[in-house]
Amino acid sequence: MSTTTPYKIETDVKFNPLELIDVAKLQREVREQWVNKTLCEVNDSVVRLGVLKGEFHWHKHEREDEFFYVVEGRFEIDLEGRTVELKPQQGFTVPKGVMHRTRAPERTVVLMIESRGIVPTGD
């Protein structure tokens, strides 16, 4: 999927079951500022790899929750009224219907788990 935003968001699934996923290799290959790659499907969800620097726009998902897990770097999630900062090996779930914006003040690697049908840029 190509968007008109400054983000590169790839919704096609890259790996099938029983295939090794080398996250370290994938993150090293990223040259763009904000890349979101769909790694695999798990039941009705997808696991995505984000290699990010900068900020995403404010958005929400009316029907889906999002889970973020920081592998490397620093990740901030702005919510209405507060900001949550995640460091490596920390995770956070943004529930459906909650307006949020994600930011990475430095190059950051994040794993995301969300439903297969989610629109990554928001509803």
Side-chain angles (χ1 to χ4, degrees), residues 31-79:
R31 300 290 173 246
E32 299 87 354
Q33 285 271 108
W34 193 283
V35 175
N36 182 327
K37 295 177 180 278
T38 303
L39 299 179
C40 63
E41 292 180 320
V42 180
N43 299 316
D44 293 329
S45 298
V46 291
V47 178
R48 292 199 168 106
L49 170 67
V51 181
L52 321 167
K53 183 176 179 186
E55 66 181 47
F56 207 66
H57 61 273
W58 283 95
H59 66 286
K60 65 181 173 178
H61 308 282
E62 291 295 341
R63 294 172 301 283
E64 299 98 358
D65 300 333
E66 284 183 289
F67 175 75
F68 299 93
Y69 178 82
V70 176
V71 176
E72 176 182 298
R74 193 169 51 127
F75 192 64
E76 298 170 349
I77 303 171
D78 294 325
L79 305 165

Side-chain angles (χ1 to χ4, degrees), residues 10-44:
E10 301 172 5
T11 57
D12 57 307
V13 176
K14 307 259 183 273
F15 299 92
N16 294 312
L18 303 176
E19 284 187 78
L20 177 69
I21 302 171
D22 188 339
V23 172
K25 179 179 184 251
L26 291 169
Q27 74 186 49
R28 282 192 309 269
E29 293 172 349
V30 170
R31 300 290 173 246
E32 299 87 354
Q33 285 271 108
W34 193 283
V35 175
N36 182 327
K37 295 177 180 278
T38 303
L39 299 179
C40 63
E41 292 180 320
V42 180
N43 299 316
D44 293 329

